[in-house]
Amino acid sequence: MHKLEFKGVTKTFTTRNRSIAVLDSFDLQIQRGEFVCLLGPSGCGKTTLLHLIAGLEKPTQGAVLVDGEPVQKISRERVMIFQDLALFPWLNVLGNVVFGLQMTGMSKPERRQIARRYLQLVHLAEFERTNLHELSGGMKQRVALARALAVNPDVLLMDEPFAALDAQTRDLLHAELQNIWKETGKTIVFVTHNVREAIVLGDRVVVLSARPGRIKRDVAIDLPRPRQIENYAVVDLARGILDLMREDIVTTEFEVAERVPQVGRDVL
Amino acid sequence: MFSKIRLANLVADARAHKIAFFVCLLALWQGLVQLGLWQEYIFPSPLGVARTLARGFQNGTLLIGIAVSLQRILIGFGISVVFGTVLGLLIGRIRLLQETIGALVLGLQALPSICWLPIALLWFGLSETAILFVVVMGALLSITLATEAGVRNTPPRYVHAARNLGARGWRIYLYVILPAALPAIISGLKLGWSFAWRSLMAAELLYVGLGLGQLLNMGRELNDMSQVVAVMLVIIAIGLTVDRFIFQPVESRVRERWGLG
Ligand SMILES: Nc1ncnc2c1ncn2[C@@H]1O[C@H](COP(=O)(O)OP(=O)(O)O)[C@@H](O)[C@H]1O
Ligand SMILES: [Mg+2]
């Protein structure tokens, strides 16, 4: 059985005067323990896909299945790391990581012990008493990761988490995320618009078309790990996928087409 | 380092300016009295006021007045805080309540709270309840409105994230919405406190016995201007003290923790 499955999912947003078809008869299967990167131009429905898995949105038609069962509601089995992280600024680092465990009514010593283990995993052990606004962007990412891992979900949903980081921090987090994935065996669905990032991280890169999002190409990546963003093999693969994306951007998405040179640079 | 020293100098300068200004003001006041243009009961001297203050503290009248007024405002404000935050949380989260109770609160807010005194006196007579009612009407509405605004401005992301991590029901209110709205709630509390303090003084001055407001009134009836001024100074001092030692520290701690600069 597939861990996650989209079965003919259509998602339409209806606002006051128009309706937007974000997904149209979308099919996708993801296996347990897989690290899948969803790659696509902005506005193609990547965030919506994650929301559907998380249970934050419902499909207009079709079904999203988890272990063969339709997603009913939000669950800690599938934890989302939002693009803006949504960390709680009124809590310090430890308070954030402990939050999910506290909600289950776990005893204080126990939840602290677990939280500290995950803080160690993301190399933030010395910062447990620090306020969030004193952390760098990369450290905040790590807090969000630890907070999500602490409730021990089956599936981790990550929405362009590293888009706003400087290159060095991002490389570091790529390495750490690959390690964490290897150690924990989570199923990870990782959304990005950066081709090389997708190739570095994913077992599979699912390339989406512009809205309504369809699968343009589903590429298995069997490069040896750990991979780095400047590896030749990564760059090579990226070139092919990028051409694929560019043609899509140019032909279908006018607003994005105007920014093609910029997008191209950004994506590589 | 250098800029720190400069900052310290600026702060010291500001303090010196302040002190110098108030010393001059006192001197001017004493000077005007010395000119002898007005009678003492119309224009008291600083020394006279100081003597009245000392006497008031010694014979206990001022202490009793302070105690009575503080007790009233603490009870009234306490009631307002509890009901105001709960009401604000509910109105901010539940559309139907916002359209009904929310609109009512907004409308009533336009009414200066001392205008509730006639109703309070008709309902409760000349009693503590009447005065508490006026104090509560002064604080409750602004606390409710500030809480509601804080709740509505809370990014839905926080609630999504909390639900995703397993929070449900009242825990979302207690652990997410309330803390997220806390900076707004605290400014509501500050505003509510100053409204409550004003309405209390007005109510005491107008009708209800004891308290600082009544001491103020007594000064007028006895033609004892130095008592009037002394009580006014006490009222100012209480207002400033509460702001300086309660609201400001709480507010700056919250702002620091929340990273609001
Ligand atoms: N709640 C919503 N209401 C209306 N339109 C939405 C909503 N959420 C997303 N959309 C629209 O759906 C499209 C896809 O959004 P999204 O999934 O965020 O794309 P991506 O994450 O790939 O950039 C966008 O055009 C966006 O404007
Ligand atoms: Mg998105």
Side-chain angles (χ1 to χ4, degrees):
Chain A
M1 198 192 332
H2 311 297
K3 181 67 204 174
L4 301 171
E5 181 170 15
F6 286 79
K7 250 181 150 165
V9 171
T10 297
K11 179 69 187 174
T12 318
F13 287 111
T14 313
T15 50
R16 243 165 291 135
N17 39 26
R18 64 205 188 106
S19 74
I20 306 172
V22 178
L23 298 171
D24 187 17
S25 312
F26 188 84
D27 292 301
L28 177 68
Q29 291 94 32
I30 293 173
Q31 309 313 321
R32 174 179 301 279
E34 231 178 351
F35 195 144
V36 175
C37 289
L38 302 180
L39 180 68
S42 79
C44 76
K46 304 183 296 295
T47 299
T48 306
L49 280 169
L50 293 188
H51 283 177
L52 286 164
I53 300 173
L56 282 164
E57 300 275 4
K58 292 214 170 350
T60 314
Q61 263 170 40
V64 180
L65 308 178
V66 176
D67 297 321
E69 299 284 326
V71 171
Q72 297 290 356
K73 49 185 194 307
I74 297 179
S75 153
R76 24 199 281 155
E77 295 298 309
R78 305 176 301 279
V79 172
M80 173 121 184
I81 298 180
F82 293 96
Q83 192 161 9
D84 60 3
L85 303 185
L87 292 169
F88 304 134
W90 55 90
L91 299 173
N92 62 17
V93 168
L94 185 64
N96 270 277
V97 178
V98 139
F99 185 89
L101 303 171
Q102 192 181 357
M103 293 303 114
T104 62
M106 185 184 279
S107 77
K108 200 165 176 174
E110 197 178 352
R111 65 190 190 228
R112 292 203 156 189
Q113 193 192 345
I114 294 176
R116 290 205 170 103
R117 202 164 74 225
Y118 285 102
L119 280 174
Q120 219 139 40
L121 187 69
V122 297
H123 308 295
L124 280 180
E126 296 117 79
F127 294 92
E128 61 172 60
R129 303 244 157 252
T130 309
N131 287 336
L132 291 183
H133 65 94
E134 297 166 51
L135 300 179
S136 68
M139 288 157 99
K140 283 184 191 153
Q141 289 293 341
R142 294 191 170 103
V143 177
L145 194 55
R147 182 176 78 169
L149 288 170
V151 298
N152 197 21
D154 281 351
V155 180
L156 211 52
L157 306 167
M158 305 180 73
D159 194 1
E160 310 204 30
F162 307 147
L165 299 179
D166 62 90
Q168 266 175 315
T169 309
R170 202 180 49 196
D171 293 351
L172 206 61
L173 283 166
H174 284 163
E176 286 180 19
L177 185 59
Q178 291 181 74
N179 271 333
I180 287 170
W181 174 66
K182 208 171 71 189
E183 278 174 39
T184 58
K186 305 276 178 213
T187 308
I188 300 183
V189 185
F190 186 105
V191 158
T192 177
H193 62 261
N194 182 320
V195 179
R196 285 213 250 160
E197 176 170 80
I199 295 168
V200 166
L201 294 174
D203 287 334
R204 248 170 99 192
V205 174
V206 176
V207 185
L208 302 170
S209 68
R211 215 175 49 227
R214 291 216 185 77
I215 296 178
K216 273 196 85 141
R217 187 73 60 91
D218 192 337
V219 191
I221 312 286
D222 346 300
L223 304 176
R225 290 180 189 268
R227 306 170 193 154
Q228 273 154 2
I229 209 148
E230 69 273 12
N231 290 161
Y232 283 123
V234 170
V235 177
D236 258 2
L237 258 176
R239 191 165 297 129
I241 294 179
L242 190 61
D243 286 341
L244 199 74
M245 283 178 76
R246 229 189 234 123
E247 138 204 329
D248 184 56
I249 290 166
V250 173
T251 50
T252 61
E253 187 83 346
F254 179 69
E255 50 178 341
V256 181
E258 289 188 326
R259 310 194 327 245
V260 162
Q262 216 183 343
V263 169
R265 224 183 303 134
D266 188 27
V267 174
L268 253 184
Chain B
M1 206 56 218
F2 181 68
S3 70
K4 244 185 193 159
I5 292 170
R6 271 192 59 135
L7 193 66
N9 282 340
L10 279 178
V11 170
D13 280 356
R15 178 162 298 162
H17 293 161
K18 221 184 268 180
I19 292 172
F21 171 73
F22 283 104
V23 168
C24 287
L25 206 60
L26 269 176
L28 184 69
W29 181 4
Q30 184 64 38
L32 282 172
V33 171
Q34 226 90 64
L35 284 177
L37 296 176
W38 301 284
Q39 298 291 330
E40 172 86 12
Y41 66 82
I42 293 184
F43 198 81
S45 69
L47 277 176
V49 170
R51 267 197 299 274
T52 309
L53 269 177
R55 187 160 24 88
F57 279 112
Q58 264 157 22
N59 67 19
T61 47
L62 264 182
L63 286 178
I64 291 174
I66 291 172
V68 168
S69 292
L70 280 185
Q71 191 191 349
R72 283 174 180 154
I73 194 163
L74 285 181
I75 295 174
F77 187 66
I79 294 173
S80 312
V81 171
V82 173
F83 285 94
T85 38
V86 172
L87 204 59
L89 282 176
L90 294 175
I91 294 176
R93 289 292 291 176
I94 301 169
R95 175 68 66 80
L96 183 64
L97 288 184
Q98 190 180 322
E99 289 158 353
T100 53
I101 313 249
L104 178 68
V105 170
L106 202 61
L108 292 180
Q109 165 79 353
L111 186 69
S113 64
I114 193 62
C115 301
W116 290 99
L117 189 62
I119 288 192
L121 290 174
L122 286 173
W123 282 350
F124 307 112
L126 263 175
S127 65
E128 282 300 305
T129 319
I131 208 159
L132 274 183
F133 183 78
V134 173
V135 172
V136 168
M137 290 321 280
L140 177 71
L141 302 179
S142 49
I143 295 175
T144 305
L145 289 176
T147 307
E148 184 211 348
V151 169
R152 269 193 294 126
N153 291 331
T154 297
R157 272 281 176 276
Y158 289 149
V159 177
H160 292 159
R163 289 169 53 78
N164 200 185
L165 294 166
R168 296 287 182 275
W170 63 270
R171 287 170 195 266
I172 292 179
Y173 282 84
L174 186 62
Y175 293 115
V176 182
I177 294 169
L178 192 64
L182 200 56
I185 292 176
I186 285 172
S187 23
L189 294 185
K190 257 174 90 165
L191 195 65
W193 173 273
S194 75
F195 281 160
W197 188 233
R198 275 149 224 244
S199 10
L200 176 65
M201 288 304 114
E204 287 181 349
L205 202 53
L206 282 174
Y207 280 104
V208 186
L210 297 168
L212 288 168
Q214 203 223 11
L215 287 180
L216 208 53
N217 215 14
M218 214 153 73
R220 179 184 67 87
E221 279 164 6
L222 298 173
N223 270 342
D224 185 354
M225 188 59 124
S226 64
Q227 173 165 345
V228 171
V229 175
V231 175
M232 284 167 68
L233 288 178
V234 169
I235 294 172
I236 291 174
I238 290 175
L240 289 181
T241 308
V242 169
D243 195 58
R244 178 81 175 71
F245 293 102
I246 297 177
F247 286 114
Q248 274 184 27
V250 171
E251 194 170 35
S252 62
R253 268 191 60 171
V254 166
R255 293 188 73 81
E256 209 233 281
R257 172 57 85 86
W258 269 236
L260 297 171

